[in-house]
Amino acid sequence: LFDGSSIIRRARPYVDAAPNAASFDRVLLDGLTTADASFLLGDTSRGLEWSETWPVGAVTNQPLALRFLLETDRYGPLEMLFWVGELGV
């Protein structure tokens, strides 16, 4: 969850909690000026192809990677890549 300046992890005590079950929030990173996420679809002749939404069209498998582009007052721009699927093994 991004509230405009913080990334927040929201958790519940049970996976299938009742609709009105309490949730717990924890700030993971604050002081953000921007936060964007994108999903790696594959490699083309033009380079890596990223999408800002998931799922994309008829694609049913998971993305190859996740990319987070963040900007903070303290650290400036940050790029984080997380390989998933077969590349992440």
Side-chain angles (χ1 to χ4, degrees):
L1 174 67
F2 179 62
D3 74 354
S5 65
S6 301
I7 293 179
I8 300 169
R9 178 182 185 266
R10 178 165 290 162
R12 298 176 298 181
Y14 302 101
V15 175
D16 295 325
N20 295 326
S23 63
F24 306 94
D25 291 353
R26 179 176 180 189
V27 175
L28 299 178
L29 188 61
D30 61 0
L32 297 173
T33 54
T34 61
D36 294 305
S38 53
F39 307 90
L40 180 60
L41 303 177
D43 192 5
T44 68
S45 60
R46 297 180 312 256
L48 297 178
E49 184 177 2
W50 295 92
S51 173
E52 305 227 348
T53 60
W54 193 264
V56 176
V59 176
T60 57
N61 57 335
Q62 63 191 15
L64 298 172
L66 301 172
R67 175 175 65 181
F68 294 102
L69 300 172
L70 309 172
E71 188 160 345
T72 69
D73 292 330
R74 182 174 182 181
Y75 301 110
L78 301 170
E79 179 180 26
M80 295 183 276
L81 296 170
F82 299 92
W83 297 106
V84 295
E86 293 181 24
L87 294 175
V89 176

